[in-house]
Amino acid sequence: MGSDAIERAIKIFGTVFGGQPLFLAQAPGRVNLIGEHTDYNDGLVLPAAIERHVVIAGRPMRAAMIRLHAAAFGETIEIPGDSPANADPPRWARYPQGVAVELARRFRLRGLEGAIAADLPIGSGLSSSAALEVAASLAFEHAAGQAVATRERALLCHTAEVDFVGVPCGIMDQFASALSRKGHALFIDCRSQETHHIPLPADLVIAVCDTGVRRTVSNSSYAQRRQECVDAVRLLRERKPSIQSLRDVPIDDLALIEELPDSLRRRARHVITETHRVVQAAQALESGEVEKLRELFLASHHSLRDDYEVSSADLDSMTDAALAAPGCVAARMTGAGFGGAVVALVERNFQDAFLQSVAVEYATRTRRDGTFFVSEAAEGAQILELT
Ligand code: GLA
């Protein structure tokens, strides 16, 4: 561990609650290397956690009241531990509240004072919400002297986001934040929920290129895409009843989607080809054929731009700027789209030259300043005792 968010969380804790926190719960954000908009179609994804976190500095309390202060909002909220649904906090606090509701089904929550700080930008497509949920779960579990299994933690955080906050996301982000391993990407089969860790080449770093254009996952376009996939499946099932999700259409059976209405056909084509690209990207990483990633990332970006229609002029410019920069192995938009960030894999020796070039090139193309940083693939969420 070790980040500026930790220091800030500890400092804010002292200011708001007085004294010292007794533990830290830290959960990373993520980039998705490839496999976009496939998780809610039972498909495959390949995210990696990044060295940017949501941190909760916590101290258990005797009274069964959870008090949380979020530095980013300058607000302190209260969630009753014995009836966590009985509070009507501001929107940011709905995420930890939903987690508390899920945990309260499993064990008795105890009181907690917690100061939340983050070095993960909000709304950049780097999963700040999932990181907040997973950090909150760890903090609430720890305060209560309990620990749920890592996979269950990811799943209950996902349920909190879907059922309580009302964002119809897939499981990728919570899994990535909870289960990632340092130096590895996390391969997730979103149907079986099986995962395995794939080492990233030691000579590559992850570069995050944030367009500066914010997005919210809860906006209607994400829900609309999900619905279009459901509609496509319904029509496909009329022809082939065994199809339960777009995962069930194999890449060599693309003819099946030919008769779908144009926009549904393109949505389905993205999901089917993207799932196949995840298999190919995982193989390329495992066999050390890194140069194949360039083509796969680019095909993914084009498919998201043209078939799934979730890219933007800024994301396209950022991808072009990244691909033109020194040391860039591969680049594409990452996350839900409609703004947010581009992920690039960059040769470690070129990282400074890459960052310099992509920043200038993006600003020239868009007259906008992006935000850029590099990261190793990070470890998933964890607790650190301070006593
Ligand atoms: C958001 C969602 C994820 C996933 C991506 C798109 O990040 O939270 O579940 O659907 O969009 O791949």
Side-chain angles (χ1 to χ4, degrees), residues 2 9 16 32 35 64 81 91 111 120 154 165 183 200 203 206 226-227 233 238 253 264 317 328 333 342 362:
V16 176
N32 186 16
R91 186 170 170 83
L120 184 62
V165 186
L200 290 179
D203 57 348
I206 294 167
R226 269 201 88 141
Q227 186 57 45
V233 168
E238 287 170 10
D253 221 353
L264 293 189
S317 299
C328 183
M333 60 157 275
V342 160
Y362 177 69

Short mmCIF file of all heavy atoms in Angstrom, two decimals, residues 2 9 16 32 35 64 81 91 111 120 154 165 183 200 203 206 226-227 233 238 253 264 317 328 333 342 362:
data_model
loop_
_atom_site.label_atom_id
_atom_site.label_comp_id
_atom_site.label_asym_id
_atom_site.label_seq_id
_atom_site.Cartn_x
_atom_site.Cartn_y
_atom_site.Cartn_z
N GLY A 2 0.29 2.36 -0.07
CA GLY A 2 1.05 3.60 0.00
C GLY A 2 0.58 4.52 -1.08
O GLY A 2 0.91 4.33 -2.23
N ALA A 9 -6.81 10.39 3.83
CA ALA A 9 -7.90 9.76 4.60
C ALA A 9 -7.59 9.83 6.09
O ALA A 9 -8.46 10.15 6.91
CB ALA A 9 -8.10 8.32 4.15
N VAL A 16 -12.25 15.29 11.22
CA VAL A 16 -13.70 15.11 11.33
C VAL A 16 -14.10 14.37 12.61
O VAL A 16 -15.04 14.77 13.29
CB VAL A 16 -14.24 14.34 10.09
CG1 VAL A 16 -15.74 14.05 10.23
CG2 VAL A 16 -13.98 15.14 8.82
N ASN A 32 -10.22 -1.59 -18.15
CA ASN A 32 -10.55 -2.85 -18.82
C ASN A 32 -9.65 -2.94 -20.04
O ASN A 32 -9.66 -2.04 -20.88
CB ASN A 32 -12.02 -2.87 -19.23
CG ASN A 32 -12.41 -4.24 -19.79
OD1 ASN A 32 -11.69 -5.22 -19.60
ND2 ASN A 32 -13.54 -4.28 -20.48
N GLY A 35 -12.78 -6.43 -23.82
CA GLY A 35 -14.01 -7.11 -23.42
C GLY A 35 -14.99 -6.07 -22.89
O GLY A 35 -15.35 -6.08 -21.72
N ALA A 64 -24.19 1.22 17.23
CA ALA A 64 -24.29 0.58 15.92
C ALA A 64 -24.62 1.61 14.84
O ALA A 64 -25.55 1.44 14.06
CB ALA A 64 -25.33 -0.52 15.95
N GLY A 81 -26.68 0.97 11.66
CA GLY A 81 -26.18 -0.39 11.42
C GLY A 81 -27.26 -1.44 11.55
O GLY A 81 -27.21 -2.47 10.88
N ARG A 91 -26.47 11.06 -3.00
CA ARG A 91 -26.25 9.98 -3.95
C ARG A 91 -24.96 9.19 -3.73
O ARG A 91 -24.96 7.97 -3.80
CB ARG A 91 -26.29 10.52 -5.39
CG ARG A 91 -26.22 9.38 -6.38
CD ARG A 91 -26.48 9.76 -7.82
NE ARG A 91 -26.14 8.62 -8.66
CZ ARG A 91 -26.95 7.60 -8.89
NH1 ARG A 91 -28.16 7.59 -8.38
NH2 ARG A 91 -26.56 6.60 -9.64
N GLY A 111 -20.89 -0.44 14.64
CA GLY A 111 -20.68 0.97 14.34
C GLY A 111 -19.29 1.23 13.76
O GLY A 111 -18.36 0.44 13.93
N LEU A 120 -8.60 8.36 -7.20
CA LEU A 120 -9.22 7.79 -8.40
C LEU A 120 -10.24 8.80 -8.88
O LEU A 120 -11.16 9.15 -8.13
CB LEU A 120 -9.91 6.49 -7.97
CG LEU A 120 -10.57 5.62 -9.01
CD1 LEU A 120 -9.56 5.11 -10.01
CD2 LEU A 120 -11.24 4.44 -8.30
N ALA A 154 -17.39 -9.26 -3.90
CA ALA A 154 -17.58 -8.65 -5.23
C ALA A 154 -19.05 -8.76 -5.65
O ALA A 154 -19.64 -7.79 -6.14
CB ALA A 154 -16.68 -9.34 -6.25
N VAL A 165 -28.64 1.05 -5.75
CA VAL A 165 -28.36 2.34 -6.41
C VAL A 165 -29.15 2.43 -7.72
O VAL A 165 -29.50 3.50 -8.17
CB VAL A 165 -26.84 2.52 -6.65
CG1 VAL A 165 -26.55 3.90 -7.20
CG2 VAL A 165 -26.06 2.29 -5.37
N GLY A 183 0.45 -7.09 -10.93
CA GLY A 183 1.20 -7.57 -12.09
C GLY A 183 0.39 -8.41 -13.07
O GLY A 183 0.92 -8.88 -14.06
N LEU A 200 1.00 -9.79 -16.80
CA LEU A 200 1.28 -8.81 -17.87
C LEU A 200 2.80 -8.79 -18.07
O LEU A 200 3.55 -8.94 -17.12
CB LEU A 200 0.78 -7.43 -17.46
CG LEU A 200 -0.74 -7.28 -17.44
CD1 LEU A 200 -1.14 -5.87 -17.00
CD2 LEU A 200 -1.34 -7.57 -18.82
N ASP A 203 7.84 -5.69 -19.17
CA ASP A 203 8.35 -4.48 -19.84
C ASP A 203 7.23 -3.55 -20.30
O ASP A 203 7.47 -2.59 -21.01
CB ASP A 203 9.25 -4.87 -21.01
CG ASP A 203 8.54 -5.75 -22.02
OD1 ASP A 203 7.43 -6.25 -21.69
OD2 ASP A 203 9.07 -5.93 -23.13
N ILE A 206 0.72 0.17 -17.84
CA ILE A 206 -0.62 0.59 -18.26
C ILE A 206 -0.64 2.12 -18.24
O ILE A 206 -0.27 2.73 -17.23
CB ILE A 206 -1.68 0.05 -17.27
CG1 ILE A 206 -1.74 -1.49 -17.32
CG2 ILE A 206 -3.04 0.67 -17.55
CD1 ILE A 206 -2.51 -2.11 -16.17
N ARG A 226 -28.05 -2.15 -22.96
CA ARG A 226 -28.41 -3.43 -22.31
C ARG A 226 -29.73 -3.94 -22.87
O ARG A 226 -29.88 -5.12 -23.17
CB ARG A 226 -28.58 -3.23 -20.80
CG ARG A 226 -27.33 -3.45 -20.03
CD ARG A 226 -27.62 -3.75 -18.58
NE ARG A 226 -27.82 -5.19 -18.38
CZ ARG A 226 -27.38 -5.87 -17.34
NH1 ARG A 226 -26.73 -5.26 -16.40
NH2 ARG A 226 -27.61 -7.16 -17.22
N GLN A 227 -30.68 -3.03 -22.99
CA GLN A 227 -32.00 -3.42 -23.48
C GLN A 227 -31.91 -3.91 -24.93
O GLN A 227 -32.56 -4.89 -25.31
CB GLN A 227 -32.97 -2.23 -23.36
CG GLN A 227 -34.40 -2.57 -23.71
CD GLN A 227 -34.96 -3.72 -22.86
OE1 GLN A 227 -34.78 -3.74 -21.63
NE2 GLN A 227 -35.60 -4.70 -23.49
N VAL A 233 -31.47 -10.82 -28.29
CA VAL A 233 -31.56 -12.22 -27.83
C VAL A 233 -32.99 -12.75 -28.03
O VAL A 233 -33.18 -13.88 -28.49
CB VAL A 233 -31.12 -12.35 -26.35
CG1 VAL A 233 -31.48 -13.72 -25.78
CG2 VAL A 233 -29.62 -12.10 -26.23
N GLU A 238 -36.16 -16.82 -31.29
CA GLU A 238 -37.24 -17.31 -32.15
C GLU A 238 -36.70 -18.25 -33.21
O GLU A 238 -37.37 -19.18 -33.66
CB GLU A 238 -37.96 -16.12 -32.83
CG GLU A 238 -38.82 -15.35 -31.85
CD GLU A 238 -39.35 -14.04 -32.45
OE1 GLU A 238 -39.20 -13.82 -33.68
OE2 GLU A 238 -39.88 -13.24 -31.65
N ASP A 253 -20.74 -18.43 -36.22
CA ASP A 253 -22.17 -18.53 -36.54
C ASP A 253 -22.77 -17.13 -36.68
O ASP A 253 -23.95 -16.91 -36.41
CB ASP A 253 -22.87 -19.29 -35.40
CG ASP A 253 -23.91 -20.27 -35.93
OD1 ASP A 253 -24.15 -20.24 -37.14
OD2 ASP A 253 -24.45 -21.03 -35.12
N LEU A 264 -29.80 -3.51 -34.03
CA LEU A 264 -29.63 -4.68 -33.15
C LEU A 264 -28.55 -5.61 -33.69
O LEU A 264 -27.79 -6.22 -32.94
CB LEU A 264 -30.95 -5.46 -33.00
CG LEU A 264 -32.08 -4.74 -32.26
CD1 LEU A 264 -33.23 -5.71 -31.98
CD2 LEU A 264 -31.60 -4.13 -30.95
N SER A 317 -10.06 10.66 -30.73
CA SER A 317 -8.85 11.47 -30.85
C SER A 317 -7.79 10.98 -29.87
O SER A 317 -6.60 10.93 -30.19
CB SER A 317 -9.12 12.94 -30.53
OG SER A 317 -10.05 13.45 -31.44
N CYS A 328 3.95 3.01 -27.77
CA CYS A 328 2.58 2.51 -27.59
C CYS A 328 2.41 1.15 -28.26
O CYS A 328 2.59 1.02 -29.46
CB CYS A 328 1.57 3.50 -28.15
SG CYS A 328 -0.12 2.94 -27.88
N MET A 333 -10.52 2.80 -26.21
CA MET A 333 -11.34 3.34 -25.13
C MET A 333 -11.57 2.24 -24.10
O MET A 333 -11.56 1.06 -24.42
CB MET A 333 -12.68 3.88 -25.63
CG MET A 333 -13.57 2.88 -26.34
SD MET A 333 -15.34 3.33 -26.34
CE MET A 333 -15.85 2.66 -24.74
N VAL A 342 -9.08 6.42 -22.18
CA VAL A 342 -8.48 5.45 -23.09
C VAL A 342 -7.40 4.70 -22.31
O VAL A 342 -6.71 5.31 -21.48
CB VAL A 342 -7.87 6.19 -24.31
CG1 VAL A 342 -6.83 5.34 -25.03
CG2 VAL A 342 -8.98 6.63 -25.26
N TYR A 362 -3.15 15.15 -28.03
CA TYR A 362 -4.59 15.21 -27.70
C TYR A 362 -5.05 16.67 -27.63
O TYR A 362 -6.10 17.03 -28.15
CB TYR A 362 -4.86 14.49 -26.38
CG TYR A 362 -6.31 14.57 -25.94
CD1 TYR A 362 -7.30 13.90 -26.65
CD2 TYR A 362 -6.69 15.30 -24.81
CE1 TYR A 362 -8.65 13.95 -26.25
CE2 TYR A 362 -8.02 15.37 -24.40
CZ TYR A 362 -8.98 14.69 -25.12
OH TYR A 362 -10.30 14.76 -24.73
#
